[in-house]
Amino acid sequence: MSVQDNQFTHIPPRLAGLADLAYNLWWSWHPEARILFKQLNQLAWKASIHNPVRMLRDTPQEYFLAAEKNEEYMRRYDIIMNRFRRYMNTTTGWFREEYPDSKSLTIAYFSAEYGLHHSLPMYAGGLGFLAGDFLKECSDLGVPLVAVGFMYSEGYLHQHILPDGWQEGIRETLDRDAAPVKRVLNSAGEQMVVQVPHIEPPIFVAVWRVDVGKVPLYLLDTDIPMNDEKTRRISSSPYTADREERLRQEIVLGIGGRNVLHQLGVLYSAVHLNEGHPAFALIERIRERVARGIPFDEAVSQVRLTSVFTTHTPVAAGHDAFPVDLMDQYFSTYYPSLGITREQFLHLGTHPDYPESGFNMTVLAMRLASYRNAVSQKHGDVTRQMWKNLWPDLPPQDPVPIDAITNGVHLPTWMNPRIEDLLDTYFYPVSPNWQQEHDDPGIWSLVNEIPDEKLWDLHFDLKIKLMSRMRERKRVKWAKRQEAPLSLVAEGLLLNPSILTLGFARRFATYKRSALIFHDRERLKRILCNRWRPVQIIFAGKAHPSDYEGKKILQKIYTLAQDPEFEGRIAFVEDYSEQTAQYLVHGVDVWLNNPVPPLEASGTSGMKAALNGVINCSVPDGWWLEGYNGSNGWSFGSPDPAADRDAADAQALYDILEYQIAPLYYSASIDGIPHGWVAKMKESIRSNAPRFSARRMVKEYVSRYYPRLVSGADIAYACVLRK
Ligand SMILES: *Cc1c(COP(=O)(O)O)cnc(C)c1O
């Protein structure tokens, strides 16, 4: 099996490495590699929105010829290419050192979405970013992983907001030849196409590959001429609302994905499911064993011992369940191949308390994976409570067998490179290896070595960058569409970097309570328009295309932002994406989060903010229950349901804003620096960065589960495959 050749014939051989680099997302978390592209052709880099594949394609040959003659450029090029090749060729690393006996272990990771970079719009939200950060960290630690997902041709919707505040979804087809993905080719040199086994009418998937450092991610694409119209749309965008379409997506991901790895000759001994969508992969593993003559029950126990399932959703309705008649339609020829009856098959996905709710993917995954986890400690409690009846025979004193591993974020992806440089200046002399060891909390007290004015000045720069970036985006759109000036107000034209700035960016799902801060408009107005201590808020986020309530909330905020009574202190950034998230988590002062507890399983955007010295102000839910230590931010509102929770939480938020946050921010000393504020920024970095890093998280998965996956049965199985 091979992948398509680089399409760039206009790059001279001496610089051919640029194409290799462009097709490995390693550049997305190595700023020095991005600078190589930027220096080559700054205009094309900008025009490509920082997508090196597009940029190389659009750069005329003379730029390369000029670079070849530029000694300084070539010196940098050689250094960075060496660094890249060394990274890729390292077969040792943390995992091999810690687990020298796990040589036979390779894990197949399945997820319906991946948030890796905005040039690959294959994500809807937090679940995808968690998966993306997971792959990057596994690459850095040398954890042997192969990933499977979808090549969404349209991605998640692009958001355009009409002058009246109503969200419009814009479909944009991804130009696959201008994205960092490659076609996987068969022996005849054509793109590899695999049939989803045992499913009628047939579904064919074409295969693409994204290199995430050392981790290959294979993407499934049904948008090919061999399929009929309806089937071609299966992989067009994540989480279609139509039940049948959704079932077909999950069949393609689980069963198709399993078969793709098989056809690729990828040998792996364990599976990790990120949420229930890909759970059919486990059924398919059982079927293969049954086909080789292993009895069903034994096949089930082998699969269980080698499967990890991570659940992310604390609301029952958030778990996919399919009507039995749909299951019959697609699986009536499938379950006989498992050697079981229809009833036994349906039982695998039936919740004992709600048998009428259909075939539930989470129930299936819980039953077929021995290692199950939630994504924060609190979410662990909620999840154990939610699913405890799946173990009716469990003695009451025994814990429900679901663990918790709190999420983390990939530090090199989310920490601004200039912040990282600043830390390096003060960390390096004491702890030269700090980047490798950044999950060691001890190192981080070194932030106190950074002079206040250095951190403050840099933060202020990043804030200016955020605001000028918002204005520039708006200018370009305005020039194109000549929108009404009012929408310019709503989108940040009047923001002022000297003013205390809150950021609120997340999906407009109802439980996130995006409009909570508007609960008492008069009070909010007094806070935002305070003459001496004004406050401004930047909102961003998309409502799911079929979420009418979410769109109404968004419209309300957008409309209020234009209301002169708030004096231009509220702004809304259109089309929240990975790139917008970067600017926001680097550049606001406070990261606000106020979901209805306990509905935020973990949340990760606040962790990204904390890494950059942005201070969290959040209700006690998800990760913040573990993160808040009394001095690294603010916690407000009650964790328990109250009669009028929204009113109580809003009051608590106003009080904190008015009496704590604003006074601290505006109490600059004679040198113009708010030292009290900077102390909190440092505490936010010090206490959160090591604990909520993907490095700590991946190490936890590995040490708890992965070596145990190499059970006797599976080593035997891996050996069979290897022969
Ligand atoms: C991190 C991130 C998310 C997830 O953030 P939450 O805190 O879980 O809401 C969603 N979208 C983007 C673009 C992100 O970067």
Side-chain angles (χ1 to χ4, degrees):
M1 219 59 58
S2 60
V3 288
Q4 82 189 70
D5 285 336
N6 295 332
Q7 49 174 329
F8 307 119
T9 48
H10 63 304
I11 303 182
R14 176 74 174 88
L15 284 169
L18 284 175
D20 298 338
L21 198 59
Y23 279 106
N24 191 317
L25 291 177
W26 186 82
W27 55 256
S28 73
W29 72 97
H30 291 85
E32 67 273 24
R34 290 201 299 276
I35 287 178
L36 220 47
F37 296 117
K38 187 175 169 184
Q39 283 188 334
L40 188 78
N41 182 354
Q42 188 151 6
L43 287 178
W45 177 244
K46 237 182 157 175
S48 74
I49 321 177
H50 306 178
N51 168 359
V53 172
R54 182 186 292 274
M55 177 252 165
L56 289 180
R57 193 191 64 176
D58 295 347
T59 294
Q61 195 170 38
E62 57 261 32
Y63 283 78
F64 298 98
L65 301 176
E68 263 187 325
K69 294 203 191 77
N70 178 339
E71 267 179 44
E72 197 197 317
Y73 185 85
M74 292 312 295
R75 206 166 37 239
R76 262 174 184 275
Y77 170 82
D78 287 333
I79 291 172
I80 288 158
M81 286 312 297
N82 273 339
R83 200 174 292 168
F84 173 55
R85 301 240 139 88
R86 216 172 329 128
Y87 177 95
M88 291 303 293
N89 293 333
T90 310
T91 49
T92 53
W94 174 83
F95 182 79
R96 290 283 180 245
E97 281 158 28
E98 292 290 312
Y99 302 97
D101 300 334
S102 299
K103 285 207 175 56
S104 68
L105 182 71
T106 296
I107 294 125
Y109 187 87
F110 286 74
S111 177
E113 54 169 310
Y114 291 90
L116 289 157
H117 186 258
H118 60 267
S119 58
L120 289 172
M122 305 175 314
Y123 56 84
L127 178 71
F129 283 94
L130 196 270
D133 281 8
F134 198 90
L135 302 194
K136 291 172 185 171
E137 194 61 55
C138 283
S139 172
D140 287 346
L141 290 173
V143 178
L145 201 80
V146 175
V148 179
F150 269 117
M151 173 83 232
Y152 294 117
S153 53
E154 286 173 5
Y156 199 53
L157 86 144
H158 285 280
Q159 179 188 53
H160 172 59
I161 300 180
L162 299 170
D164 68 355
W166 194 249
Q167 165 183 302
E168 212 180 31
I170 296 185
R171 286 187 173 173
E172 246 172 61
T173 307
L174 176 70
D175 180 354
R176 284 163 250 201
D177 289 313
V181 292
K182 283 191 168 179
R183 291 179 173 78
V184 175
L185 306 180
N186 61 23
S187 48
E190 292 150 354
Q191 185 165 20
M192 180 177 166
V193 173
V194 169
Q195 184 173 355
V196 180
H198 291 264
I199 295 299
E200 290 299 331
I203 300 173
F204 296 96
V205 294
V207 188
W208 298 80
R209 173 172 166 143
V210 178
D211 285 301
V212 186
K214 290 182 235 178
V215 172
L217 163 59
Y218 293 101
L219 298 175
L220 317 177
D221 183 3
T222 61
D223 186 13
I224 49 173
M226 286 169 83
N227 289 324
D228 61 32
E229 258 327 292
K230 186 171 155 217
T231 305
R232 289 183 74 150
R233 292 205 53 80
I234 291 178
S235 66
S236 64
S237 56
Y239 311 125
T240 49
D242 180 84
R243 294 326 289 166
E244 184 176 355
E245 189 86 327
R246 179 79 77 97
L247 175 62
R248 282 153 57 86
Q249 279 190 325
E250 298 187 3
I251 287 172
V252 168
L253 181 61
I255 301 180
R258 175 75 185 87
N259 194 34
V260 163
L261 290 181
H262 203 71
Q263 299 297 323
L264 284 166
V266 172
L267 300 176
Y268 61 91
S269 43
V271 162
H272 186 161
L273 304 180
N274 190 41
E275 195 56 291
H277 316 109
F280 291 134
L282 302 186
I283 297 242
E284 182 64 1
R285 294 182 80 199
I286 294 171
R287 188 190 62 77
E288 284 163 7
R289 284 166 168 76
V290 171
R292 254 190 256 118
I294 299 172
F296 177 76
D297 288 339
E298 195 185 328
V300 168
S301 80
Q302 283 185 14
V303 167
R304 268 197 195 126
L305 284 170
T306 52
S307 299
V308 180
F309 169 52
T310 302
T311 175
H312 295 257
T313 312
V315 221
H319 297 262
D320 277 339
F322 298 104
V324 168
D325 55 338
L326 261 186
M327 293 302 294
D328 281 337
Q329 188 183 329
Y330 283 93
F331 284 89
S332 55
T333 58
Y334 189 95
Y335 61 74
S337 63
L338 291 166
I340 55 174
T341 64
R342 171 178 178 272
E343 283 61 40
Q344 280 173 302
F345 177 75
L346 291 176
H347 171 77
L348 290 171
T350 305
H351 194 295
D353 300 348
Y354 320 101
E356 69 293 342
S357 69
F359 191 91
N360 186 305
M361 297 299 278
T362 303
V363 171
L364 180 69
M366 290 276 181
R367 290 218 169 101
L368 295 182
S370 280
Y371 308 104
R372 318 166 186 92
N373 75 287
V375 292
S376 71
Q377 304 310 311
K378 171 76 183 176
H379 181 227
D381 296 338
V382 172
T383 305
R384 284 185 285 273
Q385 194 57 33
M386 259 176 93
W387 302 105
K388 62 176 195 281
N389 290 350
L390 291 184
W391 292 272
D393 304 329
L394 199 70
Q397 68 278 11
D398 280 15
V400 177
I402 302 173
D403 292 336
I405 295 180
T406 304
N407 282 344
V409 295
H410 186 242
L411 185 133
T413 295
W414 294 105
M415 182 178 268
N416 179 274
R418 291 173 64 195
I419 297 261
E420 197 172 335
D421 275 353
L422 179 65
L423 296 184
D424 195 47
T425 309
Y426 296 91
F427 284 28
Y428 184 84
V430 186
S431 186
N433 253 343
W434 73 273
Q435 272 129 326
Q436 298 313 312
E437 296 158 7
H438 74 247
D439 53 331
D440 173 2
I443 294 172
W444 289 84
S445 53
L446 289 167
V447 289
N448 294 318
E449 306 283 312
I450 303 172
D452 283 1
E453 72 273 15
K454 291 246 157 88
L455 185 57
W456 180 251
D457 288 352
L458 175 51
H459 173 68
F460 197 73
D461 264 8
L462 296 174
K463 203 167 161 188
I464 292 176
K465 194 168 170 187
L466 159 68
M467 291 173 193
S468 53
R469 164 83 207 167
M470 284 171 66
R471 272 195 288 270
E472 177 61 13
R473 255 174 72 140
K474 200 58 222 170
R475 189 191 64 77
V476 171
K477 280 200 184 148
W478 178 78
K480 252 193 218 153
R481 300 205 207 114
Q482 296 284 321
E483 286 165 344
L486 263 182
S487 82
L488 301 182
V489 170
E491 291 178 38
L493 209 72
L494 305 180
L495 293 176
N496 175 346
S498 300
I499 290 178
L500 168 60
T501 305
L502 315 184
F504 187 99
R506 42 195 34 92
R507 283 180 302 114
F508 272 67
T510 323
Y511 80 87
K512 302 255 190 187
R513 294 195 293 184
S514 311
L516 182 76
I517 202 167
F518 293 98
H519 194 83
D520 178 346
R521 268 167 67 172
E522 282 309 310
R523 178 106 194 250
L524 177 64
K525 193 169 111 183
R526 286 203 299 278
I527 293 172
L528 299 192
C529 307
N530 183 304
R531 187 162 164 207
W532 308 111
R533 292 169 180 165
V535 178
Q536 55 196 6
I537 316 175
I538 305 176
F539 286 93
K542 298 171 183 174
H544 188 277
S546 54
D547 180 6
Y548 181 77
E549 280 311 308
K551 288 187 193 173
K552 289 292 276 188
I553 296 171
L554 197 157
Q555 181 174 40
K556 174 177 164 185
I557 294 175
Y558 195 86
T559 311
L560 288 172
Q562 296 173 24
D563 191 328
E565 80 172 313
F566 289 109
E567 300 182 6
R569 298 293 191 217
I570 301 169
F572 193 101
V573 192
E574 241 179 16
D575 205 25
Y576 185 42
S577 70
E578 181 267 343
Q579 201 190 24
T580 332
Q582 293 278 6
Y583 284 107
L584 285 166
V585 300
H586 299 157
V588 299
D589 298 304
V590 173
W591 198 255
L592 178 64
N593 191 21
N594 47 36
V596 181
L599 298 186
E600 182 95 309
S602 165
T604 50
S605 57
M607 303 172 183
K608 301 169 190 168
L611 289 180
N612 292 286
V614 172
I615 307 173
N616 278 276
C617 175
S618 168
V619 298
D621 196 20
W623 79 280
W624 192 233
L625 277 168
E626 296 159 56
Y628 178 60
N629 68 6
S631 54
N632 59 357
W634 297 274
S635 184
F636 68 94
S638 156
D640 303 312
D644 192 351
R645 181 184 242 171
D646 286 357
D649 287 356
Q651 287 311 320
L653 172 58
Y654 298 136
D655 287 347
I656 281 202
L657 272 174
E658 196 168 355
Y659 305 129
Q660 297 188 40
I661 299 183
L664 189 67
Y665 180 86
Y666 286 107
S667 65
S669 53
I670 197 119
D671 58 4
I673 293 161
H675 292 284
W677 188 270
V678 179
K680 236 187 213 332
M681 289 174 68
K682 289 180 178 174
E683 182 57 11
S684 172
I685 299 174
R686 187 200 66 78
S687 58
N688 293 313
R691 287 182 61 199
F692 300 102
S693 88
R695 180 147 301 185
R696 187 271 309 146
M697 167 181 75
V698 168
K699 284 184 178 176
E700 229 177 293
Y701 276 98
V702 168
S703 58
R704 276 207 214 175
Y705 302 140
Y706 286 7
R708 287 161 67 191
L709 297 174
V710 191
S711 67
D714 217 62
I715 289 174
Y717 173 62
C719 291
V720 171
L721 277 178
R722 260 160 226 270
K723 266 183 200 150

